[in-house]
Amino acid sequence: MITTSLSFMTTFELHTSVVDKIDFQKALGKRIKEIREKNNISQAELAALCNFEKSNMNRIESGKTCPSSYTLYKISSSLSITLSEITSVIK
């Protein structure tokens, strides 16, 4: 009985972590898109500046993938902003 309870708790906690990660990815992608659009740069142009395929940039902006720290660095450098400007709205 205790094992079942612990298994349920672990599953619930893992599920909660997955939701938080997805929310984080979406917020991060939305922020990148907002900054890109504010600077009048197309998704294809930003992808080219970062040496990415446009489809990869689309996945990042739509929150379907969580970019690595180096990928975020390349994006922020290409937008001439600091990394903290991308992550500042994520709480």
Side-chain angles (χ1 to χ4, degrees):
M1 184 78 171
I2 294 174
T3 304
T4 305
S5 179
L6 290 175
S7 295
F8 172 77
M9 183 64 87
T10 302
T11 302
F12 178 76
E13 288 173 358
L14 289 174
H15 178 70
T16 302
S17 295
V18 170
V19 172
D20 291 340
K21 181 179 178 185
I22 292 169
D23 289 344
F24 174 79
Q25 288 174 194
K26 287 180 180 179
L28 189 62
K30 182 179 177 183
R31 179 68 176 149
I32 292 168
K33 182 178 179 178
E34 287 171 356
I35 295 168
R36 176 182 59 76
E37 289 177 340
K38 181 179 175 187
N39 288 295
N40 297 314
I41 299 173
S42 73
Q43 196 176 65
E45 290 170 325
L46 181 56
L49 288 170
C50 296
N51 200 27
F52 301 156
E53 295 291 325
K54 182 183 177 289
S55 60
N56 291 341
M57 188 60 67
N58 182 272
R59 281 193 297 277
I60 292 169
E61 287 189 358
S62 64
K64 293 179 181 170
T65 189
C66 193
S68 69
S69 56
Y70 183 68
T71 297
L72 290 174
Y73 165 76
K74 288 174 72 172
I75 293 170
S76 64
S77 294
S78 296
L79 292 170
S80 299
I81 60 171
T82 64
L83 197 52
S84 64
E85 289 178 80
I86 292 177
T87 59
S88 65
V89 297
I90 302 167
K91 297 178 171 102

